Amino acid sequence: MKYLLIGLNFLYLTVASSQNLEKINSIEEAESFIKLNPKAEITTLEISNDSLEYYKKRFLEKDIIDKYRIVKTEPIVSMRVSYIYLDGNKLTINKKRQEIIKLYKKGKSFGELATIYTMDSNFNKGDLGWFNEGVMHKTFEDAIKNHKKNDLFEVDITENKWYYVVLKTYDDLPKSIFYILSVID
């Protein structure tokens, strides 16, 4: 009898969960829902804004809506740059930085310069790869946001003695993060 009641209770929660997903409209409501339903979870999905409408429509289709619910959408920006890091504890920055900039303007590739001059362990010829705002030091991100693709610029984080020569390699990429409540059968 005990197992029958547990089974019926589980069945009730599963049926109730898919019927009630459409009533959940916030992260807080989703977290409360998860406490009552062990087969529910919140996951995130990053979507570039050019695909946003497709995914919004897709999550409204019948085969999706019973198991998934977007409970929050948040705009975010991804950025990509290449950089050369100079450690202010180990050398005089301005002279070295001007030397690097001069060589770049004479046609030396930024990747080659990064391989020669960077003082950290970036093995990707200075390419930082795509990263979302809020991940790097605020001063670094703010400088990137204030420049366009192919701009070469300097960033100083003096309190840490971090100094950079930065090449913005791509335009910023506006995206959205979907916070999705899902119920797995």
Side-chain angles (χ1 to χ4, degrees), residues 39-56:
K39 292 201 170 200
E41 65 182 1
I42 296 174
T43 55
T44 58
L45 177 63
E46 287 185 21
I47 306 293
S48 63
N49 283 357
D50 58 352
S51 303
L52 193 58
E53 288 307 312
Y54 166 78
Y55 281 97
K56 281 184 178 178

Side-chain angles (χ1 to χ4, degrees), residues 22-43:
E22 64 191 45
K23 296 177 182 176
I24 299 171
N25 295 307
S26 70
I27 292 286
E28 294 78 18
E29 290 173 1
E31 288 170 345
S32 295
F33 179 83
I34 289 169
K35 288 177 185 174
L36 298 173
N37 190 332
K39 292 201 170 200
E41 65 182 1
I42 296 174
T43 55

Side-chain angles (χ1 to χ4, degrees), residues 2-17:
K2 178 180 175 183
Y3 295 108
L4 179 60
L5 289 174
I6 292 171
L8 289 173
N9 189 34
F10 178 76
L11 181 61
Y12 170 76
L13 282 174
T14 304
V15 171
S17 66

Side-chain angles (χ1 to χ4, degrees), residues 21 27 30 34 40-47 55 59 64 67-73 177-183:
L21 278 183
I27 292 286
I34 289 169
E41 65 182 1
I42 296 174
T43 55
T44 58
L45 177 63
E46 287 185 21
I47 306 293
Y55 281 97
F59 275 98
I64 297 290
K67 294 184 180 182
Y68 302 94
R69 173 79 173 166
I70 299 171
V71 292
K72 181 179 177 184
T73 304
I177 297 179
F178 287 174
Y179 293 83
I180 303 165
L181 174 63
S182 58
V183 179

